[in-house]
Amino acid sequence: MPPRRLPHGYTNRSWVEDGQVVKEYNAVDGAERLRVEVAALGRSAGVVPVPEVVSVDLGRRRAVLTVMPGRHGQELVDAGFAAPVLAAAGRTLRALHRSLPGLVHGDYGPQNLLFDVTAWEVSAVLDWEFAREGDPVEDLAWAEWIVRTHHPDDVGALPALFAGYGSRPPWPDRQEAMLRRCAELEELCHRRGQAQGAALWDRRQHATRAWSG
């Protein structure tokens, strides 16, 4: 069977080959992002469902991972299942933060989750290349930011995210975390010489400031 390109990848190339996922980190800082993801997958295994690392090729900036089951969260939100998706996302994030204090995923949200739609539980947490030590509110706020930005018609389902997580931090704290992350991504684009990307993240910061909790 020929390799099959996976959808939803925005910064890396990922495809299925010989029954495994091959992920290629193409950015200038790809080698570092590969190392971060591999370390985070090892640390979070057994805490939340994550792919197993089969092999790593730092020279080619590639990792081979096991294929994980489930439907993509972004597709499920678009299909009208925002509430159960966000509730499950909140529960899984709570498990991560309670078991591994200090570790944040860095890009948490439906776009990086797979789901078992029979039980409405997260079946895989993907794309850990931005994982780092940080404040738990960063992950919760970013999941909210993803919904507000990419699924604005589903903002009304956000209470399910906080109910699943078990708490709802104050809006100023969540908004500040969103703005910090947007600023970080703008700076990342500047470092890579990506002027259009930097301009996009600047616009997103202005849009985020205009929101009310």
Side-chain angles (χ1 to χ4, degrees), residues 23-106:
K23 187 171 180 180
E24 190 173 77
Y25 302 73
N26 297 315
V28 173
D29 57 349
E32 176 60 22
R33 290 165 73 167
L34 168 57
R35 283 190 284 266
V36 168
E37 177 150 36
V38 168
L41 287 171
R43 187 175 173 186
S44 57
V47 176
V48 294
V50 296
E52 179 184 345
V53 179
V54 178
S55 64
V56 176
D57 185 336
L58 285 175
R60 300 172 72 186
R61 298 183 180 180
R62 284 185 179 181
V64 177
L65 311 171
T66 55
V67 173
M68 298 296 285
R71 289 187 59 187
H72 196 274
Q74 184 172 304
E75 296 175 358
L76 290 169
V77 173
D78 289 339
F81 298 103
V85 162
L86 293 175
R91 291 192 295 272
T92 297
L93 188 61
R94 177 178 60 192
L96 173 67
H97 288 164
R98 285 184 173 179
S99 299
L100 298 173
L103 178 68
V104 296
H105 178 277

Side-chain angles (χ1 to χ4, degrees), residues 8-13 24-27 33 129-130 192:
H8 308 298
Y10 301 106
T11 58
N12 305 297
R13 292 179 62 243
E24 190 173 77
Y25 302 73
N26 297 315
R33 290 165 73 167
E129 62 200 73
F130 290 112
R192 293 176 176 170

Side-chain angles (χ1 to χ4, degrees), residues 77 80-84 86-87 143-144 146-149 151-163 168 174 212-213:
V77 173
F81 298 103
L86 293 175
E144 177 180 1
I146 290 293
V147 173
R148 286 176 176 268
T149 300
H151 310 280
D153 292 340
D154 295 299
V155 168
L158 281 170
L161 173 69
F162 304 116
R168 184 173 188 148
R174 293 173 4 239
S212 57

